[in-house]
Amino acid sequence: MPELPEVETIRRQLAPHLAGRRIVAATVLDSRWCEPAAPSELADAVEGREVLAVGRRGKYFDVDLAGEVHLVMHLRMTGNLLLVPPGDEQERPYVRVRFELDDGATVLFADPRRFGTGLVLLGDSARDEYFAQRLGVEPLSADFTAAALQAEAKGRRSPVKAFLLSQERIAGVGNIYADEALFRARIHPLRAVGTLKRPQVEALHAGVIESLEAGIDARGASIDDFRHTDGARGSFQDRFMVHRREGEPCPRCGTEIVKLRAAGRGTYICPKCQPRPRARS
Ligand SMILES: [Zn+2]
């Protein structure tokens, strides 16, 4: 499932091709994509409009169109945005939505499992409200500080991994980057987040940022369906420190990495670097 670095990778690839272009046609082939809006409503809202910028908030794309019209898209499990150059007639599988641009290029939303979504929000304030209701702090922004993380964690008994996965706490972190951040910070995923001491909160803050930046540097992780706008794969899956490396040596101490379940997800740790929290007496 694409997380912040994968979405940011696509955003960076799309932005220079979309900014300043006009959407001449928007064809929603699978009406489930934009439910409850009808495909014609979505098309009417975006057709003829110039793309001012391609933004991102958490795992959402925010395509900023002229007149404060926002096309907000989410890839969910298996969605991909593909950029097809003018004149390329090759068929792509699983296409659910097609955006034709005024230079002849096409942006396709392809999605084999069909969980991806799109919607239109009218007005910057509607966009701000939509994200504010769903998303916490943006982890690569100046608002994400160790002090802010500590304030958010205070008094909470939820396991730190579940906390990291909560989009309304920290936007954009998913299973891969939570595992990598906890390993960097030497914190066990089942530790109650409110019990972390200040140095651990600081280590976790740094670990989240470092793992997300490493993912962006590698242009995302392609462990399943994630692809770049030209169909190429990311390379972060080759740089995981613990995620999906069960039975392999810890890159720090050589202990065998183990898999456990935390927050309902397959979770990978070094049992020596990330000791299990002691039971409270
Ligand atoms: Zn280790």
Side-chain angles (χ1 to χ4, degrees), residues 183 250-255 270 272-273:
F183 173 75
C250 167
R252 197 187 276 137
C253 75
T255 302
C270 169
K272 188 157 180 238
C273 293

Side-chain angles (χ1 to χ4, degrees), residues 73-272:
M73 298 185 282
H74 198 301
L75 300 174
R76 301 292 170 193
M77 300 285 288
T78 58
N80 278 308
L81 281 165
L82 303 173
L83 182 69
V84 180
D88 182 337
E89 302 289 330
Q90 191 193 326
E91 286 285 314
R92 269 74 174 177
Y94 308 114
V95 173
R96 302 181 64 206
V97 188
R98 177 183 293 122
F99 298 100
E100 290 163 46
L101 306 178
D102 61 356
D103 64 350
T106 308
V107 175
L108 303 175
F109 193 110
D111 188 0
R113 291 187 63 184
R114 303 173 59 218
F115 290 114
T117 56
L119 80 160
V120 165
L121 296 169
L122 303 178
D124 292 351
S125 58
R127 182 267 320 265
D128 294 345
E129 193 180 328
Y130 182 84
F131 289 143
Q133 284 171 358
R134 289 164 177 78
L135 302 174
V137 64
E138 193 62 37
L140 297 182
S141 75
D143 295 337
F144 183 60
T145 61
L149 182 59
Q150 184 139 46
E152 194 70 49
K154 194 174 180 220
R156 292 190 189 280
R157 303 179 70 167
S158 56
V160 58
K161 172 126 187 205
F163 176 88
L164 290 175
L165 295 179
S166 303
Q167 299 303 295
E168 67 273 25
R169 307 267 171 246
I170 303 171
V173 177
N175 206 33
I176 295 171
Y177 297 93
D179 281 3
E180 297 291 291
L182 289 167
F183 173 75
R184 286 174 185 267
R186 300 174 184 246
I187 296 170
H188 192 280
L190 295 176
R191 176 81 182 264
V193 68
T195 67
L196 296 177
K197 303 286 181 253
R198 179 72 194 210
Q200 290 175 303
V201 171
E202 286 171 358
L204 183 59
H205 171 256
V208 167
I209 294 171
E210 287 164 11
S211 60
L212 293 174
E213 287 181 342
I216 293 171
D217 284 348
R219 296 191 176 83
S222 292
I223 45 180
D224 35 44
D225 297 272
F226 173 71
R227 295 291 182 275
H228 295 166
T229 57
D230 62 357
R233 295 165 64 87
S235 64
F236 193 57
Q237 67 279 4
D238 302 327
R239 303 190 204 174
F240 290 160
M241 290 193 286
V242 289
H243 189 72
R244 296 199 175 212
R245 294 194 57 232
E246 185 181 15
E248 294 178 45
C250 167
R252 197 187 276 137
C253 75
T255 302
E256 212 171 88
I257 292 164
V258 298
K259 182 180 182 182
L260 51 88
R261 278 191 92 72
R265 309 291 298 274
T267 297
Y268 300 82
I269 66 161
C270 169
K272 188 157 180 238

Side-chain angles (χ1 to χ4, degrees), residues 2-68:
E3 304 179 29
L4 188 155
E6 286 73 38
V7 176
E8 178 62 17
T9 297
I10 298 305
R11 189 199 69 76
R12 291 181 184 188
Q13 293 176 350
L14 283 181
H17 294 279
L18 264 63
R21 298 264 64 89
R22 195 173 301 276
I23 297 176
V24 294
T27 310
V28 179
L29 304 164
D30 175 3
S31 62
R32 193 169 108 180
W33 187 77
C34 58
E35 276 178 353
S40 60
E41 286 176 71
L42 188 119
D44 288 348
V46 305
E47 282 178 358
R49 291 190 188 272
E50 183 188 347
V51 178
L52 303 180
V54 182
R56 178 193 57 75
R57 181 76 169 88
K59 303 177 196 172
Y60 290 87
F61 294 97
D62 172 19
V63 181
D64 187 6
L65 301 170
E68 288 196 21

